[in-house]
Amino acid sequence: MNFEIHNANLTRRGFLVVGTGALAAIALASCTTPPRYVSPTGAAVQQAEVARGGTGRVTSVDLVASPTQVDFAGTTADTWSFGSVPAPTIRLAAGDTLRANVRNQLPAETSVHWHGLALRNDMDGIPGTTQAPIGAGENFRYEFVAAHPGTYWFHPHVGPQLDRGLYGALIVEDPNEPLIYDDEWVVILDDWLDGVTGTPDEVLEELRAGMAGMMGDGGTGGHMMMGARSDLLGGDAGDVFYPHYLINGRPPADPDTFTSAPGRRVRIRIINAGSDTAFRVALGGHRLTVTHSDGFPVNPVETDAILIGMGERYDALVTLGDGAFPFVAAAEGKGGTALAIVRTGSGDPPRASATVAELTGSVLTAVALTADPSVVLSTRAIDRELTATLSGSMMAYDWAINGRRFDPADPLAGALGVTQGERVRLRIENTTQMWHPFHLHGHTYQHSGSGPRKDTSIVLPRQSVTVEFDADNPGLWAAHCHNIYHAEAGMMTLLGYQTT
Ligand SMILES: [Cu+2]
């Protein structure tokens, strides 16, 4: 229902411009006609889906979002999940169709976004833009071709629901996989507070009140975290205090254990599902060979550790030694850690407080990577230059893009416009005192200068990241900070394909 209203608004806005007389006439003469955008349910989106082709094979999954109780080493917490935290991993082959039947048993509206996939726009899960929200008690069927192999994940795109337990990995396997490995391990990192110190909605409310709100609360502080610092992140590492850091839904006192054998080569797919925490990950006694960023292959780079922002994914290969090894994800600048265990032989399990020397060795970020030749963008002239200027402060909690806080009731206001077929250069400029993990939906851009293909990029304070992509997936695509609290406060815009 909302969806029809949204379309009506677009029509009405176009009509109003014509109807405001002389002023509008000047605007029309000096600029051009106001932008009109493709509809997520329109012909261009359907044609793009047909062009993707696909195998015709269908993988069906049922995702039931419901209130759930989780157990962290004996402490229980009430949360919302798809039955378990994380949800069972969804796997399919590239070119196959995913059919996900979502049943919403939550006491709230929800949606599912398929993070990183260049999928058909009306299946992207953005209420008010690509679909109506899935109301409490309602169902929705997502169905789309997963064209590109890689490590992806899924989560809601409603309020701060991402910071609950509603997430899981989505692995698109390559039928012609060039990597050689024996085992595979999916590692999902998360910062957790839901049902322990409060709810994500309470955190958002407190953050929105800003620093002044916290002072006014008599200094009890609530959910805010002061003094989280990281040189790698250019200063302030995060705003929110989390009592738990998890790997695959488990705290260090009850760690996930990956069992393999000495000498086996493992592909580790690492996903940061956190909301306000970058993680520095390492496997004790091993170096990691990074092979993929955000699902796409890179020229392999060996490193001791990887820094991974919210929404980012890295795949790494490692040949396992003999014993029991700690896989540690340190909450960057925050002091806490998540732990899992890799076991190939006998030996005492690492302690919950295990730390590993590799964490303070070489730490890889996207800056160190270049795209694998198979996924380098073709050489061609830039047709369109866009800028997304990130602004705002922790004090006022007024996070915005290009001076505008995203308004879900008027999502196209301030949209970045492109035309299908263009080569686009997007400069993401961070004018704030804090780092932001910027995420573009529906595309896997390339960092300029033969950098990696990615869909989520760390943008350091007072610095910029320039990316390029082909506008080959028509629709209305969210572009936002993947700190869920920044995004909800307004650091979000749309990339809109214009009709000519
Ligand atoms: Cu941000």
Side-chain angles (χ1 to χ4, degrees):
M1 199 57 193
N2 281 12
F3 189 54
E4 279 76 27
I5 291 165
H6 163 70
N7 275 341
N9 277 342
L10 295 185
T11 311
R12 186 168 57 88
R13 178 141 29 89
F15 184 73
L16 282 173
V17 171
V18 177
T20 43
L23 203 60
I26 292 163
L28 286 169
S30 60
C31 305
T32 50
T33 49
R36 290 166 50 90
Y37 296 96
V38 304
S39 164
T41 52
V45 172
Q46 290 180 36
Q47 282 161 15
E49 183 71 348
V50 169
R52 268 185 273 272
T55 63
R57 279 194 304 266
V58 177
T59 294
S60 277
V61 296
D62 292 314
L63 290 174
V64 182
S66 61
T68 318
Q69 195 167 69
V70 289
D71 183 321
F72 300 130
T75 306
T76 56
D78 292 318
T79 188
W80 297 349
S81 79
F82 295 113
S84 62
V85 179
T89 295
I90 299 174
R91 272 180 194 275
L92 71 170
D96 289 2
T97 292
L98 179 63
R99 179 181 296 154
N101 303 298
V102 176
R103 287 194 283 150
N104 180 8
Q105 297 181 354
L106 304 171
E109 294 176 343
T110 194
S111 75
V112 178
H113 166 59
W114 312 91
H115 183 118
L117 279 187
L119 79 178
R120 56 179 298 159
N121 184 236
D122 56 339
M123 294 292 135
D124 197 46
I126 313 301
T129 296
T130 66
Q131 67 169 97
I134 310 171
E138 291 180 4
N139 303 331
F140 188 88
R141 173 184 284 186
Y142 291 91
E143 189 163 329
F144 55 85
V145 173
H148 301 109
T151 301
Y152 304 98
W153 61 299
F154 56 96
H155 60 78
H157 227 281
V158 172
Q161 286 182 10
L162 168 63
D163 208 7
R164 297 183 187 257
L166 295 158
Y167 62 82
L170 170 60
I171 307 301
V172 182
E173 293 179 337
D174 189 343
N176 307 302
E177 178 61 62
L179 276 192
I180 297 165
Y181 51 95
D182 304 305
D183 296 327
E184 192 183 306
W185 185 32
V186 176
V187 169
I188 310 186
L189 316 171
D190 194 17
D191 46 15
W192 190 280
L193 60 83
D194 192 32
V196 181
T197 57
T199 68
D201 295 293
E202 290 163 5
V203 174
L204 180 60
E205 192 181 346
E206 184 183 318
L207 290 167
R208 273 185 170 145
M211 221 64 102
M214 192 184 80
M215 305 305 178
D217 147 287
T220 51
H223 301 288
M224 277 196 220
M225 180 173 210
M226 309 300 293
R229 309 278 309 168
S230 161
D231 289 344
L232 281 177
L233 294 173
D236 186 355
D239 305 330
V240 180
F241 170 76
Y242 288 90
H244 296 296
Y245 295 104
L246 311 177
I247 290 179
N248 295 338
R250 302 172 75 156
D254 177 28
D256 184 32
T257 299
F258 177 74
T259 305
S260 186
R264 285 179 79 84
R265 201 175 204 214
V266 180
R267 178 183 193 164
I268 310 178
R269 299 179 185 261
I270 309 162
I271 301 166
N272 184 349
S275 288
D276 181 71
T277 306
F279 288 95
R280 193 191 296 207
V281 301
L283 175 60
H286 296 77
R287 280 167 69 79
L288 304 168
T289 301
V290 174
T291 61
H292 294 72
S293 61
D294 296 353
F296 278 54
V298 295
N299 293 307
V301 175
E302 206 175 282
T303 185
D304 293 314
I306 306 170
L307 181 71
I308 174 168
M310 296 83 82
E312 287 191 292
R313 292 90 63 211
Y314 285 104
D315 292 18
L317 287 178
V318 61
T319 302
L320 297 177
D322 187 356
F325 306 97
F327 183 97
V328 176
E332 181 69 15
K334 290 186 164 185
T337 57
L339 173 75
I341 292 167
V342 174
R343 177 178 286 286
T344 63
S346 56
D348 293 336
R351 296 219 307 261
S353 60
T355 185
V356 300
E358 284 79 3
L359 282 175
T360 50
S362 57
V363 183
L364 178 141
T365 67
V367 175
L369 298 173
T370 52
D372 181 87
S374 64
V375 296
V376 168
L377 284 192
S378 64
T379 303
R380 61 174 278 196
I382 302 294
D383 301 303
R384 172 120 26 196
E385 306 246 14
L386 299 172
T387 301
T389 301
L390 314 181
S391 64
S393 74
M394 180 65 193
M395 186 65 77
Y397 223 71
D398 55 350
W399 307 109
I401 294 180
N402 291 337
R404 188 187 293 271
R405 299 174 78 165
F406 185 72
D407 177 4
D410 188 12
L412 280 167
L416 301 166
V418 296
T419 301
Q420 188 169 355
E422 290 178 332
R423 170 64 58 85
V424 182
R425 177 179 286 154
L426 170 64
R427 184 178 143 86
I428 308 147
E429 189 173 356
N430 182 359
T431 67
T432 80
Q433 301 297 314
M434 191 175 180
W435 75 286
H436 303 281
F438 185 87
H439 173 47
L440 173 63
H441 289 212
H443 303 76
T444 302
Y445 50 67
Q446 183 174 9
H447 281 213
S448 290
S450 64
R453 296 286 297 272
K454 287 185 78 41
D455 54 65
T456 311
S457 299
I458 291 174
V459 190
L460 295 174
R462 302 169 300 282
Q463 293 192 25
S464 66
V465 170
T466 302
V467 304
E468 288 158 24
F469 63 92
D470 286 325
D472 58 3
N473 195 13
L476 306 176
W477 299 102
H480 62 94
C481 179
H482 222 279
N483 180 312
I484 191 59
Y485 297 104
H486 293 188
E488 281 304 301
M491 193 175 268
M492 170 154 151
T493 189
L494 293 185
L495 177 80
Y497 280 61
Q498 295 172 353
T499 57
T500 42

